[in-house]
Amino acid sequence: AGTIVEHAYVFTNIGTQPLIIQEVIPSCKLCTKASFTQQVIQPGEQGSIVVEFNSTGRSGRQGKYVTIRSNATN
């Protein structure tokens, strides 16, 4: 409890169309923050989603997730 954990998820657009991340929604908006590449990610280019979890006041095993809205078809 009390530790802030951050992880960057780096990805490559392997599709044939530009990728647009529209929104990244944390499951717990009080303890989890997310930021993401806001520019259009062209095929072959990389982007990232950075997720930060603040465990202050939370003990034991925690399970949080983020929902990603984009223009991807699958």
Side-chain angles (χ1 to χ4, degrees):
T3 301
I4 296 176
V5 180
E6 181 179 285
H7 186 77
Y9 296 89
V10 179
F11 58 89
T12 302
N13 178 359
I14 60 170
T16 59
Q17 300 296 316
L19 174 64
I20 300 169
I21 299 176
Q22 298 156 331
E23 189 174 17
V24 178
I25 308 161
S27 62
C28 173
K29 294 181 181 180
L30 297 175
C31 64
T32 308
K33 296 178 185 177
S35 59
F36 57 95
T37 301
Q38 304 236 347
Q39 301 92 331
V40 174
I41 303 157
Q42 297 297 331
E45 291 183 348
Q46 290 188 327
S48 67
I49 298 170
V50 178
V51 179
E52 179 184 286
F53 170 68
N54 185 342
S55 66
T56 300
R58 302 174 189 282
S59 61
R61 187 179 195 118
Q62 299 288 309
K64 308 298 178 199
Y65 61 89
V66 295
T67 300
I68 301 165
R69 291 185 54 233
S70 74
N71 66 330
T73 57
N74 59 13

